[in-house]
Structure formats: C-alpha cells, structure tokens
Amino acid sequence: MTSGRSDLIDLTLALHATTSRAVRVSETGDDSKAVWVPLSECEMVKKPGGLVVVTMPEWLALSKGFI
C-alpha cells in the first residue's frame, strides 16, 4: 500500500541555460551556484523575469542541493 504522498516537488528557480537535454538553474540567480538538471527527470514552466517553475522528484531536488 502506498502512502498517497507524492514525491514530486515544485521549485521556483532562476533560469541560466537550456539545452535539448537539460536545464541549468539556481535558487539565487548566481551563475556560479547553478546546476544542470536533466529534462528527462523534470518538467519546466517558464515564468516572467527569467524564472522557471521546475517540478522534479524530491530525491533529485535533494541531490542537487535545493532542499
């Protein structure tokens, strides 16, 4: 039986770069702290002001240092 709890997390992040396979994002907008996240593991929605909402599994957000 599952707990009914989703392991997905939504994060509003600064967008630094995109490729066909990954997105480079950070919490602060500081390029030196930006990390690549594979698009195969997340969904991204662009927002105004260079921001994106990225939905990813909690384990990935943890491994990338977002939580």
Side-chain angles (χ1 to χ4, degrees):
M1 180 173 207
T2 62
S3 67
R5 182 180 167 277
S6 172
D7 73 335
L8 296 177
I9 186 167
D10 294 326
L11 299 168
T12 301
L13 302 168
L15 178 63
H16 294 271
T18 58
T19 69
S20 62
R21 300 178 77 184
V23 60
R24 185 168 164 82
V25 292
S26 72
E27 290 183 292
T28 64
D30 182 350
D31 191 60
S32 69
K33 296 184 182 190
V35 296
W36 287 101
V37 177
L39 288 171
S40 63
E41 295 288 345
C42 70
E43 292 183 4
M44 178 183 74
V45 176
K46 290 185 179 182
K47 297 293 184 181
L51 299 176
V52 290
V53 175
V54 182
T55 303
M56 67 181 78
E58 189 174 327
W59 67 264
L60 182 58
L62 189 63
S63 74
K64 296 295 184 178
F66 294 124
I67 56 172

